[in-house]
Amino acid sequence: MQTFETAARRRTDKGEYWWELRPCNYYDTFEKEKIIFPDIATKGQFAIDDSGFYLDMTGFAIDSNSRYLLGLLNSRLFTFLFSKSSSEIRGGFLRWKRQYVYPLPIRAIDFDNIDDVEMHDEMVKLVDTMLDLHRQLQGSVLIRREVLEMQIEATDKEIDALVYRLYGLSGEDIKIVAGG
């Protein structure tokens, strides 16, 4: 270890001692419920992590456990929008890097507007249903699995329809997103 001491002491990213790496200033994000997502995927694959999972370079975390945000990020509209700003790699995969994800237009909810509140609450309910269906799917037998997959697909379509309403998309806009 002493062989590397001189070079290691000159590092700017060291911790309290020359052999340590600097501490991560967002450890607390890992240790609480958060939204996580992979670096490479063909569509939005955002998930809630409530286990304190630590991510490495192939995944990212958003310091939020908002079911509303999770629904938006996993929607067909957001995959469409993201595909217009992210780089595409072999096989049609997208690079879901933070610098491309964070500028996505998150529709704010006006909690003084009853329509907004109702759409927010509907999104939270649908996302909770989706999370429950996926939990059930993990340990299901084949016949039950097919039923759950159909329910997941139907719930996904309901979330997409709600996102289209939230963003005021016309029928023509929806056709572009669906074909895109």
Side-chain angles (χ1 to χ4, degrees):
M1 190 157 79
Q2 301 296 52
T3 308
F4 304 104
E5 181 177 356
T6 303
R9 283 188 183 281
R10 285 184 288 213
R11 287 188 357 242
T12 59
D13 64 342
K14 63 182 179 280
E16 186 175 340
Y17 304 101
W18 65 264
W19 62 84
E20 292 181 321
L21 291 176
R22 69 181 144 89
C24 174
N25 63 359
Y26 47 88
Y27 281 131
D28 61 326
T29 298
F30 290 126
E31 295 167 357
K32 59 186 173 183
E33 193 173 61
K34 62 198 164 291
I35 296 174
I36 60 173
F37 60 102
D39 173 23
I40 300 172
T42 57
K43 64 180 187 170
Q45 293 185 345
F46 295 81
I48 292 285
D49 170 50
D50 59 2
S51 65
F53 187 72
Y54 280 67
L55 300 161
D56 69 4
M57 294 173 27
T58 61
F60 299 99
I62 297 172
D63 191 4
S64 171
N65 64 356
S66 167
R67 274 40 176 186
Y68 170 77
L69 178 60
L70 186 64
L72 293 179
L73 292 171
N74 279 320
S75 71
R76 182 176 273 208
L77 175 60
F78 270 68
T79 293
F80 173 80
L81 293 172
F82 190 78
S83 72
K84 303 304 177 199
S85 62
S86 171
S87 54
E88 187 175 311
I89 58 176
R90 188 173 179 192
F93 287 88
L94 300 170
R95 298 298 307 268
W96 291 82
K97 293 192 167 281
R98 290 173 60 111
Q99 71 257 28
Y100 303 130
V101 172
Y102 277 47
L104 290 172
I106 304 302
R107 185 181 178 293
I109 294 294
D110 177 359
F111 286 98
D112 292 328
N113 179 323
I114 190 69
D115 291 334
D116 269 18
V117 171
E118 287 175 358
M119 286 192 282
H120 172 273
D121 293 350
E122 185 179 348
M123 177 69 80
V124 170
K125 182 180 168 210
L126 287 168
V127 170
D128 281 339
T129 297
M130 183 68 87
L131 292 170
D132 185 54
L133 288 168
H134 277 282
R135 275 191 286 278
Q136 291 177 49
L137 186 64
Q138 288 177 350
S140 67
V141 293
L142 186 58
I143 295 171
R144 175 78 175 129
R145 189 173 193 78
E146 291 173 3
V147 171
L148 289 169
E149 287 172 348
M150 288 189 310
Q151 290 175 318
I152 287 169
E153 186 177 333
T155 305
D156 198 35
K157 287 180 181 178
E158 286 183 72
I159 290 171
D160 283 336
L162 178 58
V163 171
Y164 298 150
R165 268 190 13 237
L166 277 162
Y167 283 84
L169 269 61
S170 69
E172 199 58 40
D173 294 334
I174 294 168
K175 285 180 188 174
I176 292 169
V177 170

